[in-house]
């Protein structure tokens, strides 16, 4: 089970969370990673935690002021990137371009989508994984596996019908170990979460609770 913690732009200490991810990862069979803000990637990667970017743009080296270049993200220490998070939406052609850019820089990719139909379209672009995240549940503490389990099962089927090598993750409202187990029972191979760890008083304890049932 892959657990990817997205720090968004929350006012947390990215190093504290990264060290928690690193330490808890060593105690479990689950795979843990953290996605900090772009300006924190290098410092977070230096902790030894598996580090991801929150976004890369569909660009190459050149005149691209204010964009995130995949090669620069990789040089800073990231090993993967989210693409098309519901808070950083892209057009389909740009999602494709971002996946190609990430591949060029040897970054693993997780393309986010709102529903099973979008998951199928995203899987057709050949990312390493897709993640279904109904936006109305993000940050609510109510997991999609509880609010609408059919969304997860249908997303798994949609991806498999297109490319059975594309893994499916689920996100939105994930905050407990039971949520992670439920996601796995529905066919997901990982979860995305944010506030459940990034806003926790003790990120390490929050992560330990997440992986304890696995």
């Amino acid at each position: 089970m892959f657990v990817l913690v997205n720090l968004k732009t929350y006012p947390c200490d990215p190093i504290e969370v990264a060290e928690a991810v690193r330490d808890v990862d060593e105690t479990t069979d689950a795979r843990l990673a953290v996605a900090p803000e772009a300006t924190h990637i290098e410092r977070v990667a230096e902790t030894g935690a598996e580090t991801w970017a929150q976004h890369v743009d569909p660009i190459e080296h050149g005149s691209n002021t204010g964009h995130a270049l995949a090669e620069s993200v990789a040089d800073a220490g990231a090993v993967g990137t989210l693409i098309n998070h519901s808070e950083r939406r892209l057009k389909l052609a740009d999602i494709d371009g971002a996946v190609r850019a990430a591949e060029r820089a040897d970054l693993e990719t997780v393309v986010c989508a709102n529903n099973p139909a979008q998951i199928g379209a995203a899987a057709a672009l050949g990312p390493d994984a897709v993640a279904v995240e109904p936006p109305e549940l993000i940050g609510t503490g109510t997991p999609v596996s509880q609010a609408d389990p059919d969304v997860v099962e249908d997303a798994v089927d949609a991806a498999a019908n297109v490319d059975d090598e594309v893994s499916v993750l689920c996100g939105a409202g994930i905050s407990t170990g039971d949520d992670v187990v439920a996601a796995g029972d529905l066919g997901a191979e990982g979860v995305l979460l944010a506030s459940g760890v990034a806003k926790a008083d003790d990120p390490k304890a929050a992560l330990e609770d997440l992986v304890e049932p696995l």
Side-chain angles (χ1 to χ4, degrees):
M1 183 63 74
F2 182 34
V3 178
L4 178 54
V5 181
N6 179 11
L7 300 187
K8 303 190 176 184
T9 58
Y10 287 133
C12 60
D13 181 345
I15 303 305
E16 179 186 13
V17 178
E19 290 174 343
V21 166
R22 177 199 64 200
D23 293 346
V24 175
D25 181 70
E26 294 175 352
T27 69
T28 177
D29 290 334
R31 172 189 174 194
L32 274 63
V34 59
E37 294 180 57
T39 52
H40 298 154
I41 288 175
E42 186 168 2
R43 290 196 301 133
V44 165
E46 287 173 350
T47 68
E50 181 177 327
T51 305
W52 281 53
Q54 297 179 9
H55 169 79
V56 296
D57 285 299
I59 60 169
E60 299 181 0
H61 288 280
S63 303
N64 302 294
T65 302
H67 288 72
L69 180 69
E71 284 83 354
S72 296
V73 164
D75 288 345
V79 299
T81 184
L82 295 173
I83 294 171
N84 196 50
H85 189 275
S86 64
E87 296 158 359
R88 188 66 173 85
R89 281 291 186 212
L90 298 173
K91 295 179 180 179
L92 188 62
D94 289 336
I95 297 171
D96 188 25
V99 170
R100 303 286 85 77
E103 290 176 343
R104 193 179 65 232
D106 293 323
L107 293 170
E108 193 172 341
T109 50
V110 172
V111 175
C112 302
N114 289 352
N115 55 54
Q118 291 182 12
I119 285 291
L125 301 177
D128 295 292
V130 290
V132 61
E133 283 197 304
E136 65 273 14
L137 296 177
I138 292 176
T140 64
T142 301
V144 62
S145 56
Q146 175 184 319
D148 195 350
D150 288 347
V151 167
V152 180
E153 292 182 319
D154 291 349
V156 171
D157 289 342
N161 288 337
V162 174
D163 185 343
D164 60 10
E165 293 188 2
V166 176
S167 301
V168 178
L169 285 61
C170 76
I174 304 292
S175 60
T176 70
D178 288 343
D179 298 340
V180 179
V181 170
D185 289 343
L186 293 169
E189 296 181 44
V191 295
L192 301 183
L193 70 154
S195 58
V197 173
K199 290 185 173 182
D201 292 333
D202 186 339
K204 185 176 181 181
L207 284 166
E208 288 171 338
D209 288 345
L210 277 170
V211 303
E212 191 276 331
L214 300 180

